[in-house]
Amino acid sequence: MKNITPNCINQNSKPSLFCPGCGQSIALRHLGFVIDEMKIQKKVTLGIDIGCSLLSWNYFNFDTVQGHHGRSIPMMVGFKMARDKRIVLAMMGDGGGYAIGLQSLLHAAYRNNPISAILINNTDYSMTGGQAAPTTLAGEITTTTPDGRDVKTLGDPFHGPELVRQIAKSSAYIARASVSNPIMLEKILTRAIENQIKNNSFSFVEILSICPTNWKTNAKKSFDFLEKMEKVYPEGEIIKN
Ligand SMILES: Cc1ncc(C[n+]2csc(CCOP(=O)(O)OP(=O)(O)O)c2C)c(N)n1
Ligand code: SF4
């Protein structure tokens, strides 16, 4: 049986800053298990964004660097060029990856930069109070869509991995996982990191996650909403090696 906490989590850090029930801490815990199992703790550098992913600062017992909003990908692409033996991860939210930083995501995929990008899709801009993101569902109420997202004016919910697939090279690894399915989440994260190590290629993983604070949901309603998201954003591998 697994430990409750991955070994690579920094046991001496301050208590987690994520809100109670946040899906980002579930995603990070499983990333920690993957890093333990792959025995790569001493080789990993994690780049984090502005947004709730920055709360993982000091969360792990490995090197972590932080950039401006939407810039974790170019920061870590540059880092990998300078330190090509490192295993490089870039975390971001859906605002960071699909709005302000979309050009960086697409160019990294197009260039096939050998980093593993991990994006948390919780359908809103969480850290700043729950504004609409490209991924906000049709009809979803956020602080900037008080009557629900109107797809006639704002367009359909944004399918990032499917867009990245259009321009990525055949050696790229692209997938969508969910915090409701930790076994698949760990498998997908493992393959994304392996693709960097073995194929020197780009990987992109979107993780469907819960934000009880901005959704104003209790535990049950959070997972009910995640189920709705999973219907719009299907889990699975999108390009297979
Ligand atoms: C250039 C810039 N624009 C805007 C902001 C304000 N800002 C900080 S966090 C954030 C939203 C983050 O949302 P997302 O990227 O989805 O991450 P989440 O908080 O949901 O994890 C914004 C707009 C900023 N820090 N920098
Ligand atoms: S605001 Fe949402 S995403 Fe951010 S820490 Fe709280 S629950 Fe998590």
Side-chain angles (χ1 to χ4, degrees):
M1 208 174 92
K2 272 184 179 165
N3 291 336
I4 289 176
T5 308
N7 294 326
C8 63
I9 282 192
N10 183 359
Q11 306 275 1
N12 300 319
S13 68
K14 293 181 218 142
S16 163
L17 296 170
F18 291 102
C19 306
C22 177
Q24 301 218 28
S25 45
I26 303 175
L28 289 172
R29 180 165 172 263
H30 291 287
L31 176 64
F33 283 131
V34 165
I35 288 168
D36 281 358
E37 264 155 45
M38 294 178 81
K39 300 190 179 28
I40 55 173
Q41 182 179 347
K42 292 206 160 56
K43 298 180 183 163
V44 166
T45 304
L46 172 70
I48 54 177
D49 214 86
I50 297 293
C52 289
S53 78
L54 70 79
L55 301 175
S56 57
W57 185 258
N58 207 22
Y59 193 82
F60 288 114
N61 234 335
F62 48 73
D63 293 347
T64 306
V65 289
Q66 179 170 10
H68 293 292
H69 190 216
R71 300 294 175 260
S72 63
I73 287 185
M75 174 175 73
M76 298 320 286
V77 164
F79 185 91
K80 181 79 177 184
M81 285 175 180
R83 292 279 182 275
D84 63 358
K85 301 280 179 295
R86 299 293 297 173
I87 297 167
V88 171
L89 312 178
M91 295 264 336
M92 72 217 81
D94 39 12
Y98 294 157
I100 190 168
L102 179 63
Q103 79 281 31
S104 301
L105 168 64
L106 295 181
H107 281 289
Y110 190 65
R111 290 186 303 248
N112 202 27
N113 290 122
I115 65 163
S116 305
I118 304 168
L119 180 146
I120 300 285
N121 174 359
N122 54 20
T123 74
D124 63 27
Y125 280 30
S126 307
M127 178 154 269
T128 41
Q131 295 85 0
T135 48
T136 300
L137 300 189
E140 182 180 345
I141 291 173
T142 68
T143 51
T144 50
T145 55
D147 297 325
R149 179 180 182 147
D150 175 5
V151 293
K152 287 204 185 95
T153 49
L154 295 181
D156 289 321
F158 189 87
H159 285 67
E162 289 79 357
L163 176 67
V164 169
R165 176 181 52 186
Q166 305 298 320
I167 53 157
K169 307 297 178 218
S170 58
S171 60
Y173 179 82
I174 303 166
R176 183 183 286 113
S178 169
V179 298
S180 72
N181 188 344
I183 294 175
M184 196 196 285
L185 173 60
E186 286 189 22
K187 189 179 93 182
I188 282 174
L189 287 171
T190 305
R191 293 207 174 147
I193 297 172
E194 276 173 359
N195 199 47
Q196 178 180 162
I197 300 169
K198 292 184 186 156
N199 300 331
N200 202 35
S201 285
F202 182 74
S203 327
F204 179 57
V205 176
E206 177 185 293
I207 304 176
L208 305 177
S209 180
I210 54 180
C211 176
T213 299
N214 287 304
W215 295 355
K216 302 182 177 47
T217 43
N218 62 19
K220 178 173 182 319
K221 288 201 169 137
S222 296
F223 280 89
D224 289 348
F225 190 75
L226 184 59
E227 236 176 82
K228 254 174 92 173
M229 286 171 68
E230 287 164 358
K231 293 203 173 85
V232 177
Y233 299 118
E235 287 170 84
E237 294 181 320
I238 293 172
I239 281 185
K240 272 189 145 180
N241 279 321

